[in-house]
Amino acid sequence: IDAALGWRFIFVAMAALALGLLSVNIFFLQETNASPDPKALHLKTMLASFGQVLGNFQSRRFLLLATSAYCALLSYISNAPTIYKSAFDVDGVDFAVLFCATGFGIIFGQYANRKILPVLGILKVLRIAGLIIFIASAASTFLAITGHLTASIFTALMFVFNTSFLVVVSNSMTLIIDPHPKIAGSVSAFFGFVTSVGGALFVILTIDLFNGDAVAWGIGMVLTTGITFLGFMLTLRSRIDFDES
């Protein structure tokens, strides 16, 4: 769209997609909450719901770890155009193709997630996914430091990262919501708010520091994904109240 029509039309396309999604929601999706709470959107009710989430060990812990993973993802999204240009001299449509290719990792990862969850259980899957995003980040950093990181290798590593990022987020979200079935909508909204704002603040604080430097950016990725992976490893299964069946 940018190459053919200019960057302004990106927002036109986004508006069209949003209108399409809104139409689907209005005309094709039915309400699943049979007993909605008329006070659910009152400020006092929402704050009480958010407090309930933060007061629960399981929800609080996985919200923190998912937020750390979001910091890594938004850092990648924000810095990718600059890194591809400064480190590999790739931009324009070529960048768009490579960036798009990494996104297919999400599809592969979610398919694998559905297959292995019943076999390994949710915590083991989270640990494996956390390890994968950490290894992908560490490998990218090491290769950047040694001067062996190329555009194709970087794309492959970010594909691997994406296979497991959404596995981390989706399964963490399940564990965050599970203790609060009566306020699942509020918990889901709070999850989206905290992870998005946390990731955005991380990008704001680091975007000038990284400035397209693949090494500096990689170190940031290692730190954020390392927190997520270490958090999963230190979480005892006995502290998780979740029925695997």
Side-chain angles (χ1 to χ4, degrees), residues 127-150:
R127 287 172 173 171
I128 293 171
L131 177 61
I132 291 173
I133 63 173
F134 176 72
I135 289 176
S137 301
S140 177
T141 306
F142 175 77
L143 292 173
I145 292 173
T146 58
H148 294 92
L149 188 65
T150 65

Short mmCIF file of all heavy atoms in Angstrom, two decimals, residues 127-150:
data_model
loop_
_atom_site.label_atom_id
_atom_site.label_comp_id
_atom_site.label_asym_id
_atom_site.label_seq_id
_atom_site.Cartn_x
_atom_site.Cartn_y
_atom_site.Cartn_z
N ARG A 127 7.23 -22.89 29.45
CA ARG A 127 8.68 -22.93 29.64
C ARG A 127 9.41 -23.14 28.32
O ARG A 127 10.43 -22.49 28.05
CB ARG A 127 9.04 -24.03 30.63
CG ARG A 127 8.67 -23.68 32.07
CD ARG A 127 8.86 -24.87 33.00
NE ARG A 127 8.65 -24.49 34.39
CZ ARG A 127 8.59 -25.36 35.40
NH1 ARG A 127 8.72 -26.67 35.14
NH2 ARG A 127 8.41 -24.94 36.63
N ILE A 128 8.89 -24.04 27.50
CA ILE A 128 9.51 -24.28 26.19
C ILE A 128 9.42 -23.03 25.31
O ILE A 128 10.40 -22.62 24.68
CB ILE A 128 8.84 -25.48 25.49
CG1 ILE A 128 9.15 -26.77 26.26
CG2 ILE A 128 9.32 -25.61 24.05
CD1 ILE A 128 8.35 -27.97 25.78
N ALA A 129 8.24 -22.42 25.29
CA ALA A 129 8.05 -21.21 24.48
C ALA A 129 8.94 -20.08 24.99
O ALA A 129 9.52 -19.32 24.20
CB ALA A 129 6.58 -20.79 24.50
N GLY A 130 9.04 -19.94 26.31
CA GLY A 130 9.90 -18.92 26.89
C GLY A 130 11.35 -19.14 26.52
O GLY A 130 12.09 -18.19 26.22
N LEU A 131 11.78 -20.40 26.52
CA LEU A 131 13.15 -20.73 26.13
C LEU A 131 13.40 -20.38 24.67
O LEU A 131 14.46 -19.85 24.31
CB LEU A 131 13.41 -22.21 26.37
CG LEU A 131 14.79 -22.74 25.93
CD1 LEU A 131 15.90 -22.02 26.70
CD2 LEU A 131 14.88 -24.25 26.13
N ILE A 132 12.43 -20.65 23.81
CA ILE A 132 12.59 -20.40 22.38
C ILE A 132 12.74 -18.91 22.09
O ILE A 132 13.62 -18.49 21.32
CB ILE A 132 11.43 -21.00 21.58
CG1 ILE A 132 11.51 -22.54 21.62
CG2 ILE A 132 11.43 -20.51 20.13
CD1 ILE A 132 10.31 -23.23 21.01
N ILE A 133 11.89 -18.07 22.70
CA ILE A 133 12.00 -16.63 22.43
C ILE A 133 13.31 -16.08 23.00
O ILE A 133 13.90 -15.15 22.44
CB ILE A 133 10.79 -15.83 22.95
CG1 ILE A 133 10.65 -15.92 24.47
CG2 ILE A 133 9.51 -16.29 22.26
CD1 ILE A 133 9.56 -15.02 25.03
N PHE A 134 13.77 -16.68 24.10
CA PHE A 134 15.06 -16.24 24.66
C PHE A 134 16.22 -16.64 23.76
O PHE A 134 17.12 -15.84 23.49
CB PHE A 134 15.24 -16.85 26.06
CG PHE A 134 16.58 -16.54 26.67
CD1 PHE A 134 16.87 -15.26 27.13
CD2 PHE A 134 17.56 -17.52 26.77
CE1 PHE A 134 18.12 -14.96 27.69
CE2 PHE A 134 18.80 -17.23 27.32
CZ PHE A 134 19.07 -15.95 27.78
N ILE A 135 16.20 -17.88 23.28
CA ILE A 135 17.27 -18.36 22.40
C ILE A 135 17.31 -17.56 21.09
O ILE A 135 18.38 -17.18 20.60
CB ILE A 135 17.10 -19.86 22.10
CG1 ILE A 135 17.42 -20.68 23.36
CG2 ILE A 135 18.00 -20.30 20.95
CD1 ILE A 135 17.20 -22.17 23.19
N ALA A 136 16.13 -17.29 20.51
CA ALA A 136 16.08 -16.50 19.28
C ALA A 136 16.67 -15.12 19.49
O ALA A 136 17.43 -14.60 18.65
CB ALA A 136 14.63 -16.40 18.78
N SER A 137 16.36 -14.50 20.63
CA SER A 137 16.90 -13.17 20.94
C SER A 137 18.40 -13.22 21.18
O SER A 137 19.16 -12.38 20.69
CB SER A 137 16.19 -12.60 22.18
OG SER A 137 14.79 -12.50 21.97
N ALA A 138 18.84 -14.22 21.94
CA ALA A 138 20.27 -14.35 22.26
C ALA A 138 21.09 -14.66 21.01
O ALA A 138 22.19 -14.12 20.83
CB ALA A 138 20.46 -15.45 23.31
N ALA A 139 20.56 -15.52 20.14
CA ALA A 139 21.28 -15.86 18.91
C ALA A 139 21.41 -14.64 18.01
O ALA A 139 22.49 -14.40 17.42
CB ALA A 139 20.54 -16.99 18.18
N SER A 140 20.36 -13.86 17.90
CA SER A 140 20.41 -12.64 17.09
C SER A 140 21.46 -11.68 17.64
O SER A 140 22.24 -11.08 16.88
CB SER A 140 19.04 -11.97 17.07
OG SER A 140 19.07 -10.76 16.37
N THR A 141 21.50 -11.55 18.96
CA THR A 141 22.47 -10.64 19.59
C THR A 141 23.90 -11.12 19.38
O THR A 141 24.79 -10.33 19.03
CB THR A 141 22.18 -10.54 21.10
OG1 THR A 141 20.81 -10.17 21.30
CG2 THR A 141 23.07 -9.50 21.75
N PHE A 142 24.13 -12.42 19.58
CA PHE A 142 25.47 -12.98 19.42
C PHE A 142 25.97 -12.80 17.98
O PHE A 142 27.11 -12.40 17.75
CB PHE A 142 25.46 -14.46 19.79
CG PHE A 142 26.77 -15.16 19.54
CD1 PHE A 142 27.84 -14.98 20.39
CD2 PHE A 142 26.92 -15.99 18.43
CE1 PHE A 142 29.06 -15.61 20.14
CE2 PHE A 142 28.13 -16.62 18.17
CZ PHE A 142 29.20 -16.44 19.04
N LEU A 143 25.12 -13.08 17.02
CA LEU A 143 25.52 -12.95 15.62
C LEU A 143 25.75 -11.50 15.23
O LEU A 143 26.63 -11.19 14.41
CB LEU A 143 24.46 -13.58 14.72
CG LEU A 143 24.33 -15.11 14.82
CD1 LEU A 143 23.14 -15.61 14.00
CD2 LEU A 143 25.61 -15.79 14.34
N ALA A 144 24.96 -10.59 15.83
CA ALA A 144 25.18 -9.16 15.56
C ALA A 144 26.52 -8.71 16.12
O ALA A 144 27.25 -7.94 15.49
CB ALA A 144 24.04 -8.35 16.16
N ILE A 145 26.86 -9.19 17.32
CA ILE A 145 28.13 -8.82 17.95
C ILE A 145 29.32 -9.34 17.14
O ILE A 145 30.32 -8.64 16.96
CB ILE A 145 28.19 -9.37 19.39
CG1 ILE A 145 27.17 -8.63 20.28
CG2 ILE A 145 29.59 -9.22 19.97
CD1 ILE A 145 27.04 -9.21 21.67
N THR A 146 29.19 -10.56 16.63
CA THR A 146 30.30 -11.18 15.89
C THR A 146 30.32 -10.79 14.41
O THR A 146 31.22 -11.20 13.67
CB THR A 146 30.22 -12.71 16.00
OG1 THR A 146 28.95 -13.17 15.48
CG2 THR A 146 30.35 -13.15 17.45
N GLY A 147 29.32 -10.03 13.97
CA GLY A 147 29.29 -9.58 12.59
C GLY A 147 28.79 -10.60 11.59
O GLY A 147 29.04 -10.47 10.39
N HIS A 148 28.08 -11.62 12.07
CA HIS A 148 27.59 -12.67 11.19
C HIS A 148 26.06 -12.62 10.97
O HIS A 148 25.50 -13.54 10.38
CB HIS A 148 27.96 -14.05 11.74
CG HIS A 148 29.43 -14.31 11.75
ND1 HIS A 148 30.23 -14.03 12.83
CD2 HIS A 148 30.26 -14.79 10.78
CE1 HIS A 148 31.48 -14.35 12.56
NE2 HIS A 148 31.53 -14.81 11.31
N LEU A 149 25.42 -11.58 11.46
CA LEU A 149 23.96 -11.47 11.30
C LEU A 149 23.63 -10.89 9.94
O LEU A 149 24.06 -9.80 9.59
CB LEU A 149 23.37 -10.59 12.40
CG LEU A 149 21.84 -10.54 12.47
CD1 LEU A 149 21.29 -11.91 12.84
CD2 LEU A 149 21.39 -9.50 13.49
N THR A 150 22.88 -11.65 9.15
CA THR A 150 22.42 -11.20 7.83
C THR A 150 20.92 -11.01 7.85
O THR A 150 20.23 -11.43 8.80
CB THR A 150 22.79 -12.23 6.75
OG1 THR A 150 22.07 -13.46 7.01
CG2 THR A 150 24.29 -12.51 6.75
#
